[in-house]
């Protein structure tokens, strides 16, 4: 059975080899002429980038400032999706509450927690998620800025 599956997958992938290129191509699929920094030979292509910036490595290895907000957004989407597919009401509640628990606690700490009591999940998310994304983006920007020494 495994052999049949493997053969079927290889047969499905065969047409993809027609799209393979012998060198660099642009967005329109047209060949790009070779340069001193961009060469190709027998289906292998390589590019060399030279920079005079001494701090290039730190910049290259520093994640973009949007990383914390993207991680939060992906985690939130995953938990909400899990809540939609969970048949257990308690599990649904926990999965929906996890992404906004800290924000809800912060509202409670400043005495504004009652603003969201009895409101639907969509309202809680609309009120709490955008400011969280902005704060996480700002935190990422500050981390990147301090990592780059600016």
């Amino acid at each position: 059975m495994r052999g049949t599956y493997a053969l079927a997958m290889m047969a499905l992938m065969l047409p993809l080899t027609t799209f393979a290129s012998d060198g660099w191509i642009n967005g329109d699929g047209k060949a790009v002429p070779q340069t001193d920094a961009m060469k190709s030979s027998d289906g292998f292509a390589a590019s060399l980038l030279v920079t005079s910036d001494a701090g290039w490595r730190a910049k290259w290895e520093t994640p973009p400032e949007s990383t914390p907000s993207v991680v939060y957004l992906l985690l939130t989407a995953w938990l909400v999706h899990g809540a939609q597919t969970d048949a257990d009401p308690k599990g649904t509640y926990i999965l929906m509450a996890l992404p906004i628990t800290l924000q809800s606690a912060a509202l409670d700490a400043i005495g504004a927690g009652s603003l969201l009591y009895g409101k639907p999940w969509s309202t809680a998310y609309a009120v709490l998620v955008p400011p969280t994304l902005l704060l996480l983006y700002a935190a990422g920007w500050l981390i990147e800025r301090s990592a780059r020494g600016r």
Side-chain angles (χ1 to χ4, degrees):
M1 184 68 179
R2 280 188 187 170
T4 306
Y5 178 73
L7 284 173
M9 291 304 293
M10 284 190 272
L12 287 173
M13 293 171 68
L14 275 176
L16 296 177
T17 60
T18 61
F19 297 112
S21 172
D22 282 332
W24 292 97
I25 57 170
N26 64 16
D28 298 327
K30 295 187 168 111
V32 175
Q34 294 194 39
T35 66
D36 289 340
M38 225 168 55
K39 301 268 185 190
S40 63
S41 176
D42 297 326
F44 178 79
S47 177
L48 174 66
L49 176 66
V50 179
T51 179
S52 60
D53 185 359
W56 71 268
R57 187 177 196 127
K59 292 174 185 172
W60 179 267
E61 293 174 348
T62 302
E65 61 271 3
S66 61
T67 299
S69 55
V70 170
V71 170
Y72 173 76
L73 197 57
L74 290 173
L75 180 62
T76 300
W78 179 62
L79 290 169
V80 169
H81 173 71
Q84 303 306 318
T85 59
D86 194 353
D88 177 29
K90 290 180 186 175
T92 298
Y93 177 80
I94 290 171
L95 291 175
M96 289 298 287
L98 277 173
I100 57 173
T101 298
L102 293 176
Q103 298 91 314
S104 299
L107 283 179
D108 285 338
I110 63 171
S114 62
L115 294 173
L116 294 177
Y117 291 155
K119 301 286 191 275
W121 286 112
S122 57
T123 301
Y125 273 74
V127 168
L128 297 174
V129 170
T132 302
L133 290 173
L134 287 173
L135 284 171
L136 288 171
Y137 186 85
W141 179 80
L142 287 171
I143 291 169
E144 180 186 10
R145 185 174 177 172
S146 66
R148 290 188 179 184
R150 290 189 216 162

